[in-house]
Amino acid sequence: MVNDRLDILKKFFKKNRRLPSYSEMLSLFGFSSKNAVFKLINKWVEANLLKKINGKLSPTSRFFALPLLGNIKAGFPILAEENKNYLTLDDYLIEDPSSSFLLKVSGDSMTGVGIFDGDIVVVEKKKAPTIGDIVLAQIDREWTLKIFRKDRRRRINYLEAANPKYPPLYPHQELQIYGVVKAVIRKFN
Amino acid sequence: MVNDRLDILKKFFKKNRRLPSYSEMLSLFGFSSKNAVFKLINKWVEANLLKKINGKLSPTSRFFALPLLGNIKAGFPILAEENKNYLTLDDYLIEDPSSSFLLKVSGDSMTGVGIFDGDIVVVEKKKAPTIGDIVLAQIDREWTLKIFRKDRRRRINYLEAANPKYPPLYPHQELQIYGVVKAVIRKFN
DNA sequence: CTTGACAGTGAACAAATGTTTACTATAATG
DNA sequence: CATTATAGTAAACATTTGTTCACTGTCAAG
């Protein structure tokens, strides 16, 4: 089966975080001639799974990506080849790795926007949040995750929970924004 | 700055999905001797950012991973070096890439478990779901995302929405489970 | 001052790399 | 049946690879 070999290659990459060399592929695929590898690779380059830039081989985004399917309702959407979109989660979720970090959320103050206890949020360090952003902030020396709001009458910024249980937080002394929440992820089980 | 070079390397990997060769690093880092590269690489290997297995260089998980921080409340948790955990999202969210796909959710029938319209769920194709799993299923020829339940009295399986607006779905003819939802991700903005 | 560590240059080299060419067997096509 | 594409073997080869060795300048510590 042709697809077996691609699976083998993907597994190698997942494990080693690099592509194998042609000689490594010899044993990986069970070939005994490097030319067999050569031809196979070129087929994958053709299929836009790999690419070669002056002899250097690298995977394309398609190599990793999972199919992204659209609406369900009537028919199962996976079957239509042209409807397929592909997505790698790291690329999708994290725009700037060097200024991002993950934060495990505790508490129920943000359930209104679908952030629950135990969820992980992607926070991007940022100077200027937009009103309405979910921010990681320090208010009067306490760190918290809340919605960034502006009180137009009093002309100050404050923090709001996404849960009616909690009152809005107006800073007595200081409100400092550390970062903006770009995404939430939650794993089941 | 030493960290600049590591950033350059990370950017190269993000762009090309492979590590550069030593000669490529020459120009990347602005060296004029390959030995300078050699020593730098070994330093990173020492720091567990890269690793070498018989001459083959590859990034470690630490190379990619974002710091994962714990509870907020009192002090900002990023400062304590020993509390740092690292995580790459793809690895964390997707156990078996070859049997997983992504699905863009529509509708509000699962808001109770924090799955909203527009969210993306990771679905793993699977034969036998556990009771209580969120499943992608076909019930009487309609595809839907619901909670998998068992009716002990009537001894049949049915589907339940996570929203009181919607009644439980008992199959008239057929209930077929296509996959289990392993994770949800939601991007803001 | 002297010493030693550090960061980098420059050249040399064996080993491994990707590619090419020529050839074979098998299956699919008309 | 003849033909042609496909999948693979085998050997040869220039180029590039990662590594090693010897050397230089700079800076901090004793």
Side-chain angles (χ1 to χ4, degrees), chain A residues 99-149:
Chain A
S99 74
S100 302
F101 60 92
L102 306 173
L103 179 69
K104 188 156 209 171
V105 176
S106 64
D108 61 349
S109 70
M110 297 302 280
T111 52
V113 290
I115 300 180
F116 296 93
D117 190 85
D119 286 4
I120 291 174
V121 290
V122 178
V123 180
E124 196 171 288
K125 288 172 222 165
K126 204 184 174 187
K127 331 83 226 156
T130 309
I131 307 296
D133 280 356
I134 300 165
V135 295
L136 173 60
Q138 192 182 23
I139 186 165
D140 297 332
R141 312 229 156 275
E142 282 240 337
W143 286 97
T144 185
L145 204 67
K146 294 283 180 309
I147 303 173
F148 184 61
R149 296 286 185 204

Side-chain angles (χ1 to χ4, degrees), chain A residues 21-23 34-35 38 52 55:
Chain A
S21 72
Y22 282 28
S23 9
K34 277 208 279 181
N35 182 265
F38 181 73
K52 261 184 211 174

